[in-house]
Amino acid sequence: MGQQDKAAVGERSSELAPSEHAAAAYRVARERSGLALCLSGGGFRAALFHLGALRRLNELGILSKVTTISSVSGGSILSAHLATTLNPWPPPGDIVDDWKERVEDRFCEFAGHNLRTGAILKRLLPWNWMRTSTAVTELMRRYERDLTKLKLIDLPDRPEFVLSATDMAFGVNWVFEKERVGNYQIGYLTPPPSEWLLARAVAASSCFPPVFNPMPVNAEYDVYKRGKAPVEKRKNAAKGLRLTDGGVYDNLGLEPVWKSHETVLVSDGGATFDPEPDKGLSRRLKRYTDIVGNQVSALRKRWLISNFLSGQLIGTYWGIGSLVENYDLLGHPGYPPDLVENLIAEVRTDLDAFSEAEIKVLVNQGYLLADAAVDRHQPQLISVSPKPRLEIPYVEWMGEGKVREALKNSHKRKLLGRR
C-alpha cells in the first residue's frame, strides 16, 4: 500500500464516528464537574490509611469541597462513619475543627474490635449450616450496632456517597446511593427500599471472599428500572442475585466517577503484590487468583495515572506502598522505604482487631502521603492560606525501630483474631 493510500485510510478512520454503543459505554461526559474522592478496599488497613489521608485533606480545606465520595470495602466502612458523624457536611472550603474527637478517635476505637471472628463462628453453628448468608448478616448487624444506624435514604445530600459492591450475576459494579441501588445491567431500585440500612451497603461492600459468603438481594426483576440486559437475563439473574466485596470488581472505587467528574483524588490502601516462590498446588491455586487481581488493579492504576499525565483527567493518587520521597518534595517527612515496603504495606487485609501501633502508623502513613500527593500535583485545591504546616498525628510512632518491632507480625492473620 502506497503512502497516499495509507494516508487515505488513516483520514477515513479518523473521520468515522464511534458507534452509539461505544459512545454510551466509554465516552466521558463532555462537561465533567465536581471533585470525587475514591476510597479503596483493604479492610481495616485501608480504612485507617484513608482516615489519616482525610485528616490532612480536612486541614487543607479540601475535604469539605468534595462532591462525591466513592468507596469500596474498607473504604466503605470509613465512608459510612463520615456520613454519620459529619452530618451536615461542612461548607466548601471550611475545616472540621474538632476532627480528632468527632471523627478520628471514634473510628480508631471501632477498628480496635474484631468484626470477623464472631460472624464466622456464628456461621459454623449447626443450625446455621444451611443458611449461607449468616456471616454477612451478622457483619451487617455489627455495623448497625457499632458504626451507623442511618438508612440509605437518610444519607446526606452533600456530598454524594456511593458505596460499591460486586454483582455476582452480571459481574459488574453495584452501587448503593441515597437515590438508587443497583447497576446498569439489571437496573436500579429508585429510590432504595425505605427500610434498607446503610449497614447493609457496608456489609455488602466489605464481605470479602472466602471469609464471607455473598449477600442475597431478594428483589424481583420487575422492581428494577432502566436495566440494559435483556428481560430474560434479568429475570434469571434476579432469582439468585448476590453481592460480594466491591474490591472483586474495582478495588479503587473509580467506576462510579471516572466518566463524570472533573477532578479525582484516589486513596489506595489495597494490598501490594509481592513475589513469592512456588509453594505447591494449594498455594498455587490462590496465586492464580492473586495474579488476576493484581493485573486488574495494575491496569486501573496505569490508566488513571496515564490520564493524569496526559491531561485527560485532573487529580492525584497516593497508595499505601508509595514513598513520600518519590514526590520530589525537599524536607518532607515520611517513613523510610524498607519500613514501608516490608512492614506498613504488608499489614494484613482483615476485619480483625487492630492494635494501637497498627492504627497510629497507618493513620500517619495516609496523612503524610495525601499531603505529599496534593502538594506535588494539586496544590490549587488547597483552600487554607497559608498552607497549614504538617502536624503528624502520632509523631511518637515515626521512629523506625519502634515501628519495626511493633509491626513485625502485623502481616499475619490469626484464626480466632487478636482479641
Side-chain angles (χ1 to χ4, degrees), residues 87-313:
N87 193 355
W89 199 255
D94 279 11
I95 64 170
V96 179
D97 291 320
D98 55 350
W99 174 271
K100 189 172 187 307
E101 297 76 17
R102 187 173 170 188
V103 178
E104 188 170 309
D105 288 348
R106 292 163 66 180
F107 192 80
C108 289
E109 180 183 359
F110 176 74
H113 292 85
N114 183 348
L115 303 186
R116 182 245 299 162
T117 305
I120 300 306
L121 291 178
K122 196 163 186 177
R123 171 179 162 187
L124 295 177
L125 295 173
W127 51 87
N128 287 329
W129 287 355
M130 302 303 292
R131 299 175 182 175
T132 58
S133 61
T134 297
V136 70
T137 300
E138 182 61 22
L139 183 63
M140 179 177 72
R141 288 173 181 160
R142 286 295 303 272
Y143 287 141
E144 181 187 5
R145 189 188 78 185
D146 300 331
L147 182 68
T148 180
K149 298 187 184 304
L150 287 183
K151 295 178 179 178
L152 283 173
I153 58 175
D154 297 325
L155 280 167
D157 292 326
R158 191 184 72 84
E160 180 182 0
F161 284 88
V162 185
L163 290 77
S164 291
T166 299
D167 176 344
M168 297 283 286
F170 286 101
V172 296
N173 206 58
W174 171 287
V175 298
F176 291 89
E177 303 173 16
K178 180 183 177 73
E179 302 293 339
R180 64 177 190 171
V181 298
N183 61 49
Y184 74 98
Q185 288 280 26
I186 196 165
Y188 297 91
L189 305 178
T190 308
S194 60
E195 72 277 10
W196 277 25
L197 297 167
L198 179 56
R200 175 195 289 261
V202 182
S205 183
S206 62
C207 59
F208 56 90
V211 176
F212 297 98
N213 283 339
M215 174 183 283
V217 177
N218 298 326
E220 296 297 326
Y221 92 96
D222 56 355
V223 302
Y224 296 97
K225 307 301 180 186
R226 304 190 310 279
K228 300 294 186 184
V231 172
E232 284 305 313
K233 289 187 176 181
R234 288 192 286 124
K235 278 185 180 180
N236 290 332
K239 293 174 185 177
L241 198 150
R242 281 171 164 73
L243 306 176
T244 191
D245 189 291
V248 172
Y249 182 77
D250 170 21
N251 199 49
L252 293 182
L254 280 169
E255 189 73 8
V257 300
W258 71 272
K259 289 200 294 184
S260 56
H261 285 67
E262 181 180 18
T263 305
V264 178
L265 306 179
V266 179
S267 182
D268 181 10
T272 56
F273 185 81
D274 301 309
E276 69 172 44
D278 188 83
K279 296 181 178 180
L281 179 60
S282 61
R283 181 66 185 178
R284 196 179 303 145
L285 293 174
K286 181 180 182 303
R287 191 66 172 173
Y288 293 139
T289 305
D290 290 344
I291 291 171
V292 172
N294 179 64
Q295 176 224 175
V296 173
S297 177
L299 285 173
R300 286 190 183 273
K301 282 186 243 183
R302 289 170 186 161
W303 172 88
L304 176 71
I305 294 172
S306 67
N307 273 265
F308 288 155
L309 294 174
S310 68
Q312 296 297 310
L313 193 61

Side-chain angles (χ1 to χ4, degrees), residues 50-70:
H50 302 325
L51 181 65
L54 268 57
R55 174 168 171 162
R56 188 53 176 165
L57 295 183
N58 175 60
E59 292 174 356
L60 299 174
I62 297 173
L63 184 61
S64 58
K65 296 194 293 185
V66 169
T67 56
T68 302
I69 297 180
S70 174

Side-chain angles (χ1 to χ4, degrees), residues 5-25:
D5 294 329
K6 291 180 180 178
V9 171
E11 185 177 348
R12 274 200 309 275
S13 298
S14 66
E15 291 175 353
L16 291 175
S19 68
E20 184 177 338
H21 168 76

